[in-house]
Amino acid sequence: MPLPARLVYHTDDPYAVCLSLGEPAKSVTWVFARDLLAEGMRRAAGAGAVLVFPRHRCLPDTMRIVLRSPADAALLEIPASLVTAFLHDTYALVAPGAEGTHIDLDGCLARLAGPNG
């Protein structure tokens, strides 16, 4: 059945992508590695909660993402052309391999240390 879905990328978390499913007021968001999404465009990738599968010869412009939790699982079919365009846009913001230059390590350490750190 069709389900509203949205891929989102934030430069303040440059290694990750967010996949939100459902209507905005009741959406569920999965966060996983941008590299996992990119690798899944070429070959089956992932383990555990998120698996990504490339185009299948029967559905040449469709890729699949499997989301699993201890209680359930969902198989999503997404147009591969949209995922390719999304990844291209993320690479324009943060090039592959340059993610580390977009992380505020001092800020991260301060948040981990807490208010008394």
Side-chain angles (χ1 to χ4, degrees):
M1 81 173 90
L3 179 67
R6 185 172 160 212
L7 281 166
V8 178
Y9 181 75
H10 300 285
T11 58
D12 60 342
D13 190 1
Y15 290 102
V17 295
C18 301
L19 174 60
S20 294
L21 303 171
E23 297 298 330
K26 297 181 180 182
S27 67
V28 175
T29 300
W30 291 75
V31 179
F32 54 95
R34 177 173 73 163
D35 286 348
L36 173 63
L37 187 60
E39 183 179 348
M41 297 292 295
R42 296 182 307 277
R43 62 177 174 262
V50 180
L51 308 169
V52 183
F53 299 93
R55 303 169 193 211
H56 189 274
R57 67 180 176 273
C58 295
L59 299 167
D61 190 41
T62 301
M63 62 179 301
R64 294 178 175 172
I65 299 176
V66 175
L67 304 172
R68 300 188 294 191
S69 73
D72 226 337
L75 170 64
L76 308 172
E77 292 182 339
I78 300 174
S81 58
L82 294 178
V83 176
T84 298
F86 171 77
L87 285 170
H88 178 76
D89 290 346
T90 71
Y91 296 151
L93 294 170
V94 178
E99 295 91 350
T101 63
H102 291 267
I103 295 178
D104 175 15
L105 289 179
D106 291 335
C108 290
L109 291 173
R111 285 190 295 280
L112 286 173
N116 299 324

mmCIF file of all heavy atoms in Angstrom, residues 9 14-15 34-35 38 42 87-102:
data_model
loop_
_atom_site.group_PDB
_atom_site.id
_atom_site.type_symbol
_atom_site.label_atom_id
_atom_site.label_comp_id
_atom_site.label_asym_id
_atom_site.label_seq_id
_atom_site.Cartn_x
_atom_site.Cartn_y
_atom_site.Cartn_z
ATOM 1 N N TYR A 9 18.248 14.983 4.974
ATOM 2 C CA TYR A 9 19.666 15.012 5.306
ATOM 3 C C TYR A 9 19.973 16.328 5.993
ATOM 4 O O TYR A 9 19.523 17.389 5.562
ATOM 5 C CB TYR A 9 20.501 14.880 4.028
ATOM 6 C CG TYR A 9 21.980 14.873 4.276
ATOM 7 C CD1 TYR A 9 22.612 13.755 4.797
ATOM 8 C CD2 TYR A 9 22.760 15.985 3.990
ATOM 9 C CE1 TYR A 9 23.983 13.736 5.017
ATOM 10 C CE2 TYR A 9 24.130 15.975 4.202
ATOM 11 C CZ TYR A 9 24.731 14.853 4.723
ATOM 12 O OH TYR A 9 26.083 14.835 4.942
ATOM 13 N N PRO A 14 26.304 14.624 9.448
ATOM 14 C CA PRO A 14 26.648 14.371 8.049
ATOM 15 C C PRO A 14 26.782 12.911 7.645
ATOM 16 O O PRO A 14 26.778 12.609 6.454
ATOM 17 C CB PRO A 14 27.979 15.094 7.883
ATOM 18 C CG PRO A 14 28.578 15.091 9.247
ATOM 19 C CD PRO A 14 27.411 15.233 10.178
ATOM 20 N N TYR A 15 26.879 12.007 8.596
ATOM 21 C CA TYR A 15 27.007 10.587 8.262
ATOM 22 C C TYR A 15 25.646 9.908 8.093
ATOM 23 O O TYR A 15 25.578 8.783 7.621
ATOM 24 C CB TYR A 15 27.780 9.843 9.348
ATOM 25 C CG TYR A 15 29.246 10.198 9.405
ATOM 26 C CD1 TYR A 15 29.729 11.064 10.376
ATOM 27 C CD2 TYR A 15 30.152 9.669 8.491
ATOM 28 C CE1 TYR A 15 31.080 11.393 10.446
ATOM 29 C CE2 TYR A 15 31.499 9.987 8.546
ATOM 30 C CZ TYR A 15 31.958 10.849 9.518
ATOM 31 O OH TYR A 15 33.291 11.173 9.575
ATOM 32 N N ARG A 34 24.271 7.270 5.671
ATOM 33 C CA ARG A 34 24.182 7.686 4.270
ATOM 34 C C ARG A 34 24.942 6.702 3.388
ATOM 35 O O ARG A 34 24.488 6.358 2.288
ATOM 36 C CB ARG A 34 24.744 9.106 4.124
ATOM 37 C CG ARG A 34 24.766 9.604 2.699
ATOM 38 C CD ARG A 34 25.163 11.049 2.576
ATOM 39 N NE ARG A 34 26.579 11.272 2.813
ATOM 40 C CZ ARG A 34 27.214 12.375 2.455
ATOM 41 N NH1 ARG A 34 26.560 13.366 1.867
ATOM 42 N NH2 ARG A 34 28.503 12.521 2.704
ATOM 43 N N ASP A 35 26.089 6.213 3.878
ATOM 44 C CA ASP A 35 26.866 5.230 3.117
ATOM 45 C C ASP A 35 26.089 3.941 2.885
ATOM 46 O O ASP A 35 26.256 3.298 1.852
ATOM 47 C CB ASP A 35 28.181 4.906 3.838
ATOM 48 C CG ASP A 35 29.198 6.024 3.734
ATOM 49 O OD1 ASP A 35 28.996 6.957 2.924
ATOM 50 O OD2 ASP A 35 30.204 5.968 4.467
ATOM 51 N N ALA A 38 23.808 4.579 -0.014
ATOM 52 C CA ALA A 38 24.597 4.620 -1.259
ATOM 53 C C ALA A 38 25.064 3.228 -1.670
ATOM 54 O O ALA A 38 24.980 2.860 -2.848
ATOM 55 C CB ALA A 38 25.790 5.551 -1.080
ATOM 56 N N ARG A 42 24.064 -0.164 -5.170
ATOM 57 C CA ARG A 42 24.905 -1.038 -6.006
ATOM 58 C C ARG A 42 24.762 -2.518 -5.676
ATOM 59 O O ARG A 42 24.857 -3.369 -6.550
ATOM 60 C CB ARG A 42 26.375 -0.638 -5.841
ATOM 61 C CG ARG A 42 26.687 0.748 -6.338
ATOM 62 C CD ARG A 42 28.163 1.099 -6.209
ATOM 63 N NE ARG A 42 28.722 0.914 -4.880
ATOM 64 C CZ ARG A 42 28.638 1.798 -3.883
ATOM 65 N NH1 ARG A 42 28.002 2.936 -4.068
ATOM 66 N NH2 ARG A 42 29.200 1.561 -2.717
ATOM 67 N N LEU A 87 20.726 11.413 -2.947
ATOM 68 C CA LEU A 87 22.140 11.248 -2.595
ATOM 69 C C LEU A 87 23.006 12.296 -3.282
ATOM 70 O O LEU A 87 23.920 12.859 -2.666
ATOM 71 C CB LEU A 87 22.621 9.837 -2.950
ATOM 72 C CG LEU A 87 22.139 8.732 -2.014
ATOM 73 C CD1 LEU A 87 22.474 7.368 -2.601
ATOM 74 C CD2 LEU A 87 22.736 8.891 -0.629
ATOM 75 N N HIS A 88 22.723 12.583 -4.543
ATOM 76 C CA HIS A 88 23.469 13.609 -5.258
ATOM 77 C C HIS A 88 23.362 14.959 -4.529
ATOM 78 O O HIS A 88 24.357 15.677 -4.376
ATOM 79 C CB HIS A 88 22.955 13.725 -6.693
ATOM 80 C CG HIS A 88 23.621 14.793 -7.492
ATOM 81 N ND1 HIS A 88 24.889 14.650 -8.007
ATOM 82 C CD2 HIS A 88 23.203 16.033 -7.841
ATOM 83 C CE1 HIS A 88 25.223 15.757 -8.638
ATOM 84 N NE2 HIS A 88 24.216 16.607 -8.554
ATOM 85 N N ASP A 89 22.160 15.292 -4.063
ATOM 86 C CA ASP A 89 21.961 16.543 -3.319
ATOM 87 C C ASP A 89 22.743 16.542 -2.010
ATOM 88 O O ASP A 89 23.311 17.569 -1.624
ATOM 89 C CB ASP A 89 20.475 16.771 -3.037
ATOM 90 C CG ASP A 89 19.682 17.099 -4.298
ATOM 91 O OD1 ASP A 89 20.287 17.416 -5.350
ATOM 92 O OD2 ASP A 89 18.439 17.024 -4.226
ATOM 93 N N THR A 90 22.786 15.397 -1.321
ATOM 94 C CA THR A 90 23.542 15.346 -0.057
ATOM 95 C C THR A 90 25.032 15.506 -0.319
ATOM 96 O O THR A 90 25.732 16.153 0.458
ATOM 97 C CB THR A 90 23.294 14.049 0.733
ATOM 98 O OG1 THR A 90 23.910 12.936 0.093
ATOM 99 C CG2 THR A 90 21.811 13.795 0.958
ATOM 100 N N TYR A 91 25.517 14.935 -1.415
ATOM 101 C CA TYR A 91 26.939 15.048 -1.743
ATOM 102 C C TYR A 91 27.312 16.483 -2.115
ATOM 103 O O TYR A 91 28.447 16.904 -1.925
ATOM 104 C CB TYR A 91 27.321 14.100 -2.870
ATOM 105 C CG TYR A 91 27.172 12.635 -2.526
ATOM 106 C CD1 TYR A 91 26.893 11.706 -3.516
ATOM 107 C CD2 TYR A 91 27.312 12.179 -1.217
ATOM 108 C CE1 TYR A 91 26.761 10.350 -3.208
ATOM 109 C CE2 TYR A 91 27.171 10.832 -0.911
ATOM 110 C CZ TYR A 91 26.891 9.929 -1.914
ATOM 111 O OH TYR A 91 26.764 8.600 -1.607
ATOM 112 N N ALA A 92 26.354 17.231 -2.655
ATOM 113 C CA ALA A 92 26.607 18.643 -2.947
ATOM 114 C C ALA A 92 26.765 19.440 -1.653
ATOM 115 O O ALA A 92 27.512 20.420 -1.608
ATOM 116 C CB ALA A 92 25.474 19.222 -3.791
ATOM 117 N N LEU A 93 26.088 19.008 -0.597
ATOM 118 C CA LEU A 93 26.201 19.679 0.708
ATOM 119 C C LEU A 93 27.455 19.244 1.460
ATOM 120 O O LEU A 93 28.162 20.079 2.030
ATOM 121 C CB LEU A 93 24.960 19.384 1.557
ATOM 122 C CG LEU A 93 23.647 19.963 1.053
ATOM 123 C CD1 LEU A 93 22.482 19.393 1.857
ATOM 124 C CD2 LEU A 93 23.674 21.485 1.136
ATOM 125 N N VAL A 94 27.694 17.933 1.494
ATOM 126 C CA VAL A 94 28.865 17.369 2.186
ATOM 127 C C VAL A 94 29.401 16.243 1.312
ATOM 128 O O VAL A 94 28.749 15.212 1.145
ATOM 129 C CB VAL A 94 28.507 16.821 3.580
ATOM 130 C CG1 VAL A 94 29.728 16.206 4.235
ATOM 131 C CG2 VAL A 94 27.895 17.902 4.461
ATOM 132 N N ALA A 95 30.573 16.455 0.778
ATOM 133 C CA ALA A 95 31.169 15.450 -0.105
ATOM 134 C C ALA A 95 31.496 14.175 0.665
ATOM 135 O O ALA A 95 31.836 14.239 1.857
ATOM 136 C CB ALA A 95 32.440 16.006 -0.737
ATOM 137 N N PRO A 96 31.402 13.013 0.010
ATOM 138 C CA PRO A 96 31.807 11.773 0.669
ATOM 139 C C PRO A 96 33.260 11.878 1.124
ATOM 140 O O PRO A 96 34.121 12.349 0.387
ATOM 141 C CB PRO A 96 31.647 10.716 -0.426
ATOM 142 C CG PRO A 96 30.691 11.306 -1.399
ATOM 143 C CD PRO A 96 30.924 12.785 -1.350
ATOM 144 N N GLY A 97 33.497 11.495 2.356
ATOM 145 C CA GLY A 97 34.839 11.579 2.919
ATOM 146 C C GLY A 97 35.096 12.872 3.669
ATOM 147 O O GLY A 97 36.069 12.975 4.418
ATOM 148 N N ALA A 98 34.233 13.864 3.496
ATOM 149 C CA ALA A 98 34.416 15.156 4.176
ATOM 150 C C ALA A 98 33.470 15.318 5.364
ATOM 151 O O ALA A 98 33.401 16.395 5.954
ATOM 152 C CB ALA A 98 34.198 16.294 3.184
ATOM 153 N N GLU A 99 32.785 14.259 5.739
ATOM 154 C CA GLU A 99 31.803 14.349 6.826
ATOM 155 C C GLU A 99 32.427 14.855 8.132
ATOM 156 O O GLU A 99 31.826 15.645 8.856
ATOM 157 C CB GLU A 99 31.134 12.990 7.072
ATOM 158 C CG GLU A 99 30.297 12.501 5.927
ATOM 159 C CD GLU A 99 31.060 11.638 4.926
ATOM 160 O OE1 GLU A 99 32.308 11.562 5.020
ATOM 161 O OE2 GLU A 99 30.421 11.042 4.062
ATOM 162 N N GLY A 100 33.638 14.392 8.428
ATOM 163 C CA GLY A 100 34.294 14.760 9.673
ATOM 164 C C GLY A 100 34.541 16.243 9.828
ATOM 165 O O GLY A 100 34.617 16.755 10.952
ATOM 166 N N THR A 101 34.642 16.954 8.735
ATOM 167 C CA THR A 101 34.869 18.399 8.811
ATOM 168 C C THR A 101 33.596 19.159 9.171
ATOM 169 O O THR A 101 33.653 20.353 9.433
ATOM 170 C CB THR A 101 35.427 18.958 7.482
ATOM 171 O OG1 THR A 101 34.456 18.766 6.454
ATOM 172 C CG2 THR A 101 36.738 18.275 7.110
ATOM 173 N N HIS A 102 32.463 18.470 9.189
ATOM 174 C CA HIS A 102 31.176 19.106 9.503
ATOM 175 C C HIS A 102 30.678 18.754 10.896
ATOM 176 O O HIS A 102 29.540 19.067 11.231
ATOM 177 C CB HIS A 102 30.128 18.700 8.458
ATOM 178 C CG HIS A 102 30.390 19.292 7.115
ATOM 179 N ND1 HIS A 102 29.840 20.474 6.709
ATOM 180 C CD2 HIS A 102 31.182 18.887 6.099
ATOM 181 C CE1 HIS A 102 30.262 20.766 5.497
ATOM 182 N NE2 HIS A 102 31.075 19.808 5.097
#
